[in-house]
Amino acid sequence: MYYLKMGILNILSNHERGLDMSKSIESRLKELGIDLPPVSHPAAQYTNYVIVNGMMFVSGKGPTGCPKGKLGSEFTTDEGYQYARETGIEVLAVLKDALGTLDKVKRVIKVQGFVNAEPTYEEHHKVLNGFSDLMYDVFNERGVHARSVFGAVSVRDNLPIIVDSIFEVEEDS
């Protein structure tokens, strides 16, 4: 399978990467050394997610710890990649809180990233790879998704990245 890492396409099987895809998603998180944080709560009149007809729309999330600054001045592309990965972990926490288990995620459908960047910055796509690579690591082929990424003059709280996302999920009967 294809594995993206900082924009470099590598062909690695899950076995070569040391991931046992037969395990539950929670077991895979442990294998990857990921502990989900407590779910952050919205700061205004909206919700972390909405589920409609098996589609879960997750509100925009940012990285853990609320770092502040722009890519291309305060942060490098490598740091942005890590912030996007942390943002993905925040999204996984919302999914688990909502669904009870990440095994109910059928597919990552769409990811949209807003990178807080200087006007001359050109590596937005490499930053969002941190989120995309995490989704693949966690969900395997079900984590491959459509996406778009935008450079933003500013974002809320001066975060380096905000990502909103759409998932197909199993709904309780």
Side-chain angles (χ1 to χ4, degrees):
M1 189 60 198
Y2 300 107
Y3 179 67
L4 292 175
K5 181 79 171 170
M6 289 301 299
I8 301 167
L9 189 61
N10 295 307
I11 301 173
L12 296 176
S13 71
N14 292 320
H15 176 73
E16 288 171 319
R17 292 189 299 130
L19 298 177
D20 182 353
M21 302 315 285
S22 67
K23 293 182 177 179
S24 72
I25 299 299
E26 277 82 9
S27 296
R28 193 159 324 119
L29 289 178
K30 286 183 181 167
E31 199 175 276
L32 292 166
I34 296 171
D35 292 317
L36 297 180
V39 175
S40 60
H41 298 287
Q45 292 302 318
Y46 64 94
T47 184
N48 271 332
Y49 66 90
V50 172
I51 300 174
V52 178
N53 296 324
M55 300 294 282
M56 183 171 173
F57 300 80
V58 179
S59 295
K61 290 291 178 187
T64 306
C66 298
K68 297 185 182 302
K70 290 184 177 287
L71 276 290
S73 57
E74 287 87 6
F75 302 118
T76 66
T77 299
D78 288 343
E79 289 170 315
Y81 177 96
Q82 289 305 316
Y83 288 138
R85 189 176 193 289
E86 289 176 15
T87 300
I89 292 170
E90 292 283 334
V91 168
L92 293 174
V94 170
L95 292 166
K96 182 159 176 23
D97 183 65
L99 303 171
T101 175
L102 292 172
D103 291 314
K104 289 187 176 182
V105 174
K106 292 181 175 181
R107 173 97 197 196
V108 183
I109 302 293
K110 174 81 191 256
V111 170
Q112 186 167 267
F114 300 89
V115 177
N116 188 11
E118 293 296 331
T120 57
Y121 188 74
E122 296 181 352
E123 295 186 323
H124 309 81
H125 61 291
K126 292 180 181 179
V127 169
L128 192 55
N129 284 348
F131 189 101
S132 296
D133 289 348
L134 177 68
M135 293 300 118
Y136 181 77
D137 285 346
V138 171
F139 297 110
N140 197 16
E141 282 83 11
R142 295 180 297 150
V144 177
H145 50 269
R147 78 176 201 182
S148 25
V149 62
F150 304 95
V153 173
S154 70
V155 299
R156 70 173 164 81
D157 299 325
N158 198 28
L159 295 171
I161 185 166
I162 293 176
V163 178
D164 65 26
S165 45
I166 304 170
F167 297 81
E168 181 184 12
V169 298
E170 291 177 25
E171 291 187 90
D172 291 330
S173 306

